[in-house]
């Protein structure tokens, strides 16, 4: 009944999330799903933006592995900003996991927010490498001239209550003689599996490119999210934060 319907057209009593039946009705509205992920991306972008000066200093002078630095920066930025909390343990190979309420002017919804951090040299800034454990979408793409179809291992909904949302923070840096210099930060909202038909309906219509794994050596399947392909589908899903003194402008 509510499939692909603008949530603002729903009766007022159906916009306030309480019963599970209403949750399901709302989730199957693609406009609502986009609104949930857009609001979540704004949260993460704001946290990183507020923390970018500190992040620049830490990235330059910290001697840990850059991947570890990225994880610490994202976690500290989100903890500093703060989010609502629900007493629910989340599992998965993702750096930051939080069960929380997401509040929208027309509804409130339980969410499993996953935020993963990557750090890579500038040559790799256009993509983010993912594992299936970080995806609720099915990866449809062409590899070795064959169509492949690899399901993600992250549920679209956890425990029949928490809508899954995955955000990726990519720290793009360059090396100098003595340290690493943070250049900019890319933040992307990966679509929930419920949005499969909108973002990756077929192997020929996809937001993914081949990952850095070698099947011949038995390496676990990985895939790369193309920021350019994702932006083509929905420009707002990929935001880029320049470092101070450049101002940030939300890319719609």
């Amino acid at each position: 009944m509510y499939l692909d319907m603008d949530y603002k057209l729903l009766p007022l009593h159906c916009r306030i999330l309480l019963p599970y039946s209403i949750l399901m009705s709302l989730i199957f509205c693609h406009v609502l799903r986009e609104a949930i992920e857009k609001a979540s991306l704004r949260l993460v972008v704001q946290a990183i933006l507020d923390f970018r000066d500190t992040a620049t200093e830490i990235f330059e002078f910290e001697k840990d592995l850059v991947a570890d630095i990225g994880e610490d920066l994202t976690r500290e930025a989100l903890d500093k900003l703060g989010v609502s909390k629900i007493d629910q343990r989340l599992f998965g190979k993702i750096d930051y996991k939080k069960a929380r309420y997401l509040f929208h002017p027309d509804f409130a919804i339980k969410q499993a927010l996953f935020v993963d951090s990557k750090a890579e040299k500038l040559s790799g800034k256009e993509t983010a490498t993912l594992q299936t454990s970080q995806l609720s979408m099915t990866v449809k793409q062409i590899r070795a001239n064959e169509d492949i179809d690899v399901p993600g291992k992250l549920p679209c909904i956890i425990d029949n209550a928490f809508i899954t949302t995955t955000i990726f923070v990519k720290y793009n840096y360059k090396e100098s003689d003595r340290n690493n210099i943070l250049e900019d930060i890319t933040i992307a909202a990966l679509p929930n599996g419920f949005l499969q038909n909108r973002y990756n309906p077929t192997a020929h219509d996809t937001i993914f490119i081949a990952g850095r794994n070698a099947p011949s050596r038995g390496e676990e399947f990985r895939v790369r999210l193309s920021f350019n392909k994702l932006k083509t589908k929905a420009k707002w899903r990929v935001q880029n934060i320049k470092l101070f003194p450049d101002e940030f402008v939300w890319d719609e």
Side-chain angles (χ1 to χ4, degrees), residues 37 136-137 166 189-195 199 207 225 230 237:
E37 294 178 1
S136 60
M137 296 182 71
T166 305
L190 184 68
N192 184 284
F194 284 128
L195 292 163
Y199 288 94
I207 57 175
L225 172 66
L230 183 57
R237 281 190 175 271

Side-chain angles (χ1 to χ4, degrees), residues 58-59 61-73 117-120 171 173 175 180:
I58 293 175
F59 208 95
F61 297 110
E62 181 62 63
K63 300 304 179 184
D64 289 343
L65 295 174
V66 289
D68 295 337
I69 296 174
E71 293 174 12
D72 292 343
L73 291 177
S117 301
K118 310 286 183 182
E120 198 167 348
Y171 297 92
Y173 72 94
E175 292 181 320
N180 297 313

Side-chain angles (χ1 to χ4, degrees), residues 37-52 74 77-78 81 113 115 167-169 185-189 236-242 248-251:
E37 294 178 1
K38 192 171 188 178
S40 303
L41 181 62
R42 284 190 181 275
L43 168 76
V44 178
V45 167
Q46 190 63 56
I48 300 299
L49 180 62
D50 289 349
F51 201 67
R52 65 175 176 173
T74 298
L78 286 166
L81 181 64
L113 177 64
V115 184
I167 309 291
F168 290 94
V169 182
I185 306 165
T186 302
I187 307 175
W236 63 264
R237 281 190 175 271
V238 181
Q239 302 294 324
N240 185 261
I241 296 178
K242 304 294 183 184
F248 170 75
V249 178
W250 180 269
D251 193 359

Side-chain angles (χ1 to χ4, degrees), residues 141-210:
Q141 62 176 185
I142 299 173
R143 285 198 182 185
N145 297 319
E146 293 186 359
D147 291 7
I148 67 166
D149 195 322
V150 181
K153 297 178 181 177
L154 197 63
C156 294
I157 302 176
I158 294 176
D159 292 342
N160 293 326
F162 296 83
I163 183 73
T164 300
T165 303
T166 305
I167 309 291
F168 290 94
V169 182
K170 181 75 176 288
Y171 297 92
N172 306 303
Y173 72 94
K174 66 179 181 181
E175 292 181 320
S176 69
D177 293 337
R178 293 180 295 177
N179 45 31
N180 297 313
I181 306 298
L182 184 62
E183 286 289 302
D184 59 11
I185 306 165
T186 302
I187 307 175
L190 184 68
N192 184 284
F194 284 128
L195 292 163
Q196 183 79 45
N197 289 338
R198 180 175 172 84
Y199 288 94
N200 185 198
T202 70
H204 300 272
D205 185 358
T206 183
I207 57 175
F208 301 110
I209 60 178

